[in-house]
Amino acid sequence: LPLKFPTAAGDLLTLEVSVDGYVGLEAGKKGINMSRIMRSFYKFKDEVFYPEVLRYVLDSYKQDLDAKESYLKLNFNYPMLQESLRSGLEGYQYYDVALEASMDAKGNVRYFTHLEFVYSSACPCSYELAEHARETREVATIPHSQRSVAYITVEQNGDLNIEELVGLCREALQTETQVMVKREDEQAFAELNGAYQKFVEDAARLLYDKLNPHQDIKDFVARCSHMESLHSHDAVSRICKGVPCGLR
């Protein structure tokens, strides 16, 4: 379904969106006509999807289907223009994003943003071993690094936009994978990996340091997965804000 979303610059993006919606019914109620979920949502298909519009959709679900609770999740790829590190080229980086909202029986709404952020992780131990081999045996070695993914979920208590959340991840991890690359960009990327080496637990802590103090983030959980180039398994770490009864 094509839906409109605002950008941080105030422009509008029309994106292809997968929509999940459901409701919670009173005990003993037989069920719903499933097409009514879509009919209720279609009333808002021409809206610009600010967070408040999610509230309207959830309230419509409750009213139209005589439900206690309602839930909505919008899944899409969000494009952001990324400039190359040195060559001046530009290309679009696409981020897997989901906007989620739920409304309870009292009308309270919770808003969540899910983001997948892809980056490179150079292993500090591998770097030290490579340097040791070069210095002691004059053997050329290449420290290993791997494509890595941070799966971020934040619960919002303010107007946190997608581009701002991506920016926080970039500032925390520093080694986002690139779109357009020439030789000078590849060299710059290798230098970044050398300057920002990190184990998987380091990546989680770096994200915590950026997300935790942000005033528009009520709660969060970050799961980092380093797809190992040495091992046959991934290295995984997980960190959360630590709010009692919050996200885990």
Side-chain angles (χ1 to χ4, degrees):
L1 186 68
L3 298 178
K4 295 188 286 291
F5 294 87
T7 68
D11 302 319
L12 294 181
L13 284 176
T14 300
L15 304 174
E16 191 70 23
V17 179
S18 171
V19 181
D20 295 325
Y22 64 78
V23 295
L25 304 177
E26 294 282 358
K29 195 167 184 179
K30 190 169 184 178
I32 63 169
N33 181 325
M34 289 175 59
S35 68
R36 292 182 67 185
I37 288 279
M38 287 306 299
R39 294 208 306 269
S40 294
F41 185 86
Y42 260 66
K43 292 187 293 186
F44 302 91
K45 66 181 177 62
D46 295 321
E47 297 285 338
V48 178
F49 272 77
Y50 294 96
E52 195 64 20
V53 174
L54 301 182
R55 174 187 287 273
Y56 300 150
V57 176
L58 293 171
D59 190 59
S60 178
Y61 279 175
K62 289 180 65 176
Q63 299 302 320
D64 294 350
L65 288 91
D66 190 25
K68 289 176 58 181
E69 301 160 335
S70 54
Y71 167 90
L72 180 67
K73 191 174 185 180
L74 308 178
N75 300 274
F76 51 91
N77 289 321
Y78 190 87
M80 287 177 61
L81 199 60
Q82 183 197 71
E83 185 176 348
S84 297
L85 294 172
R86 285 182 181 154
S87 65
L89 297 174
E90 289 183 328
Y92 280 99
Q93 186 81 280
Y94 285 83
Y95 300 90
D96 287 339
V97 173
L99 301 182
E100 178 185 351
S102 60
M103 180 180 286
D104 65 18
K106 296 181 179 180
N108 300 311
V109 180
R110 299 177 70 184
Y111 299 100
F112 304 89
T113 298
H114 307 275
L115 168 69
E116 292 186 19
F117 184 85
V118 184
Y119 61 101
S120 176
S121 56
C123 175
C125 181
S126 178
Y127 173 79
E128 290 180 1
L129 291 171
E131 287 296 290
H132 180 269
R134 181 180 62 82
E135 293 169 359
T136 61
R137 295 195 302 280
E138 297 183 352
V139 175
T141 61
I142 300 175
H144 72 82
S145 59
Q146 49 268 321
R147 184 181 297 178
S148 306
V149 185
Y151 303 92
I152 312 293
T153 295
V154 300
E155 181 175 3
Q156 299 164 224
N157 58 10
D159 190 21
L160 177 72
N161 61 58
I162 295 166
E163 293 171 44
E164 187 175 4
L165 183 56
V166 169
L168 291 171
C169 293
R170 285 177 175 172
E171 292 173 17
L173 299 171
Q174 294 290 329
T175 52
E176 182 179 19
T177 54
Q178 300 295 296
V179 179
M180 292 287 191
V181 176
K182 296 179 74 173
R183 288 181 65 86
E184 57 262 45
D185 302 309
E186 185 173 355
Q187 184 181 59
F189 190 63
E191 291 172 8
L192 278 176
N193 272 274
Y196 297 98
Q197 303 167 39
K198 45 189 167 286
F199 295 116
V200 70
E201 59 270 28
D202 297 324
R205 294 186 185 108
L206 290 167
L207 287 166
Y208 182 95
D209 289 342
K210 284 295 179 183
L211 298 174
N212 187 54
H214 199 287
Q215 62 181 1
D216 291 332
I217 297 177
K218 179 179 179 181
D219 197 5
F220 68 84
V221 59
R223 178 180 178 273
C224 298
S225 180
H226 289 189
M227 290 162 271
E228 289 282 324
S229 60
L230 169 65
H231 303 289
S232 298
H233 54 268
D234 296 342
V236 178
S237 65
R238 188 178 180 92
I239 199 165
C240 61
K241 186 176 180 70
V243 175
C245 302
L247 297 170
R248 290 289 183 268

